[in-house]
């Protein structure tokens, strides 16, 4: 199953009763395994979980910690980028040249960007030494 197929399959399970904005995400780890996640909303809106966060959590729970590729899908005909928080989450586990492909389940539209393009000034563990400006 491809990253797109995996993201589309899990998107069907999204719990988006408040926004009706279903998101599916698939991350491919260094081992080649694909982990998936979907958004899960909550009546206390900030307590919901993004699809990307779910996929990353599944990867980490399986004992892996390096993302090699990402696919995020929504129903929007124009591919949507990950939110700011998820951009940072992805940057925590992926190199700056990791490609994030955003797609639409409504059509074949896709857009690809690297993590560096999505989040050019990510907070990174190696920059914790104080050399970077805030």
């Amino acid at each position: 199953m491809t990253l797109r197929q995996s993201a589309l399959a899990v998107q069907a399970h999204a719990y988006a009763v408040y926004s009706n904005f279903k998101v599916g995400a698939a991350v491919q780890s260094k081992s080649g395994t694909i982990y998936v996640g979907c958004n899960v909303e909550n009546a206390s809106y900030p307590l919901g979980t993004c699809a990307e966060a779910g996929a990353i959590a599944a990867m980490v729970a399986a004992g892996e910690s390096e993302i090699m590729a990402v696919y995020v899908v929504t129903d929007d005909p124009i591919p949507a980028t990950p939110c700011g928080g998820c951009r940072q989450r992805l940057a925590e586990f992926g190199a700056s040249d990791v490609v994030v492909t955003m797609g639409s389940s409504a059509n074949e539209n896709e857009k690809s960007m690297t993590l560096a393009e999505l989040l050019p000034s990510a907070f990174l563990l190696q920059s914790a030494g104080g050399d970077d400006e805030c």
Side-chain angles (χ1 to χ4, degrees):
M1 191 176 278
T2 67
L3 279 173
R4 178 177 170 83
Q5 292 167 333
S6 299
L8 285 166
V10 76
Q11 181 193 24
H13 300 292
Y15 183 76
V17 297
Y18 302 99
S19 71
N20 234 4
F21 191 75
K22 293 185 172 191
V23 183
V27 298
Q28 186 171 25
S29 68
K30 188 173 183 177
S31 74
T33 302
I34 295 174
Y35 298 94
V36 297
C38 60
N39 58 322
V40 179
E41 295 178 349
N42 186 289
S44 178
Y45 205 71
L47 296 181
T49 304
C50 293
E52 300 90 335
I56 291 167
M59 179 188 74
V60 171
E64 299 205 56
S65 62
E66 191 172 347
I67 294 173
M68 303 307 288
V70 181
Y71 198 100
V72 180
V73 67
T74 68
D75 292 330
D76 198 318
I78 299 170
T81 62
C83 72
C86 284
R87 292 175 194 206
Q88 181 61 49
R89 287 179 183 95
L90 292 166
E92 183 76 17
F93 296 97
S96 62
D97 63 347
V98 166
V99 175
V100 179
T101 303
M102 290 82 52
S104 170
S105 59
N107 54 45
E108 296 296 318
N109 287 347
E110 290 184 338
K111 181 175 184 172
S112 295
M113 300 174 76
T114 65
L115 284 174
E117 291 170 323
L118 282 170
L119 189 63
S121 296
F123 293 113
L124 301 173
L125 182 61
Q126 58 268 31
S127 66
D131 293 326
D132 292 349
E133 293 183 34
C134 294

